[in-house]
């Protein structure tokens, strides 16, 4: 019998199948690392590499580069919380979560940086 944590991890691997490809940009890989976590992203890359029908040295180096990006990736934490949104005068409720999700999407698409181009 699996623990709940093990079950959840296997389900996350299943959901992430195909999320990583060797032709992805470093920014796209970073987004998947944020989405799945570095440990899961590494396993997803290894699974994709094992299923990659391409052969040859160049393919191996490319997957090794993907793994190097994953291994070197910083841990990103959204710098805004629901408390921050509430402190700006937004009433508690569904809008807080909506604003937080929209802010997170904007932040991720901006390569985990916030600037004044909103």
């Amino acid at each position: 019998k699996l623990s709940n944590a093990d079950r959840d991890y296997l389900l996350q691997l299943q959901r992430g199948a195909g999320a990583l490809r060797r032709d992805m940009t470093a920014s796209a890989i970073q987004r998947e690392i944020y989405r799945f976590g570095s440990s899961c992203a590494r396993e997803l890359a290894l699974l994709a590499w094992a299923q990659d029908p391409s052969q040859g040295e160049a393919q191996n180096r490319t997957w090794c580069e993907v793994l190097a990006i994953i291994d070197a990736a910083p841990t990103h934490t959204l710098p805004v919380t629901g408390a921050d949104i509430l402190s700006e005068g937004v009433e508690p409720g569904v809008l807080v979560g909506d604003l937080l999700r929209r802010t997170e999407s904007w932040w991720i698409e901006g390569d985990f940086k916030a600037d004044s181009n909103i």
Side-chain angles (χ1 to χ4, degrees):
K1 181 176 173 179
L2 293 174
S3 69
N4 288 343
D6 288 341
R7 179 205 62 214
D8 292 346
Y9 191 71
L10 288 174
L11 288 172
Q12 187 177 24
L13 285 173
Q14 181 185 26
R15 282 192 299 274
L20 289 169
R21 298 180 323 277
R22 60 187 173 93
D23 62 346
M24 294 173 79
T25 65
S27 293
I29 293 168
Q30 290 282 344
R31 286 191 292 273
E32 296 306 319
I33 294 167
Y34 180 75
R35 181 176 163 205
F36 292 104
S38 60
S39 176
C40 186
R42 188 170 215 298
E43 291 197 35
L44 289 170
L46 290 169
L47 288 168
W49 187 358
Q51 295 174 351
D52 192 337
S54 301
Q55 298 296 318
E57 189 65 25
Q59 178 260 331
N60 290 342
R61 278 195 307 272
T62 303
W63 277 113
C64 288
E65 290 169 5
V66 170
L67 292 170
I69 291 169
I70 292 168
D71 291 342
T75 300
H76 294 290
T77 303
L78 182 65
V80 179
T81 65
D84 295 320
I85 293 171
L86 292 171
S87 73
E88 293 298 315
V90 176
E91 293 293 320
V94 176
L95 181 58
V96 173
D98 182 51
L99 288 171
L100 200 54
R101 279 186 295 281
R102 289 173 42 204
T103 301
E104 182 180 39
S105 293
W106 167 79
W107 177 69
I108 292 168
E109 290 303 314
D111 288 329
F112 307 99
K113 297 177 192 93
D115 62 26
S116 60
N117 297 323
I118 300 175

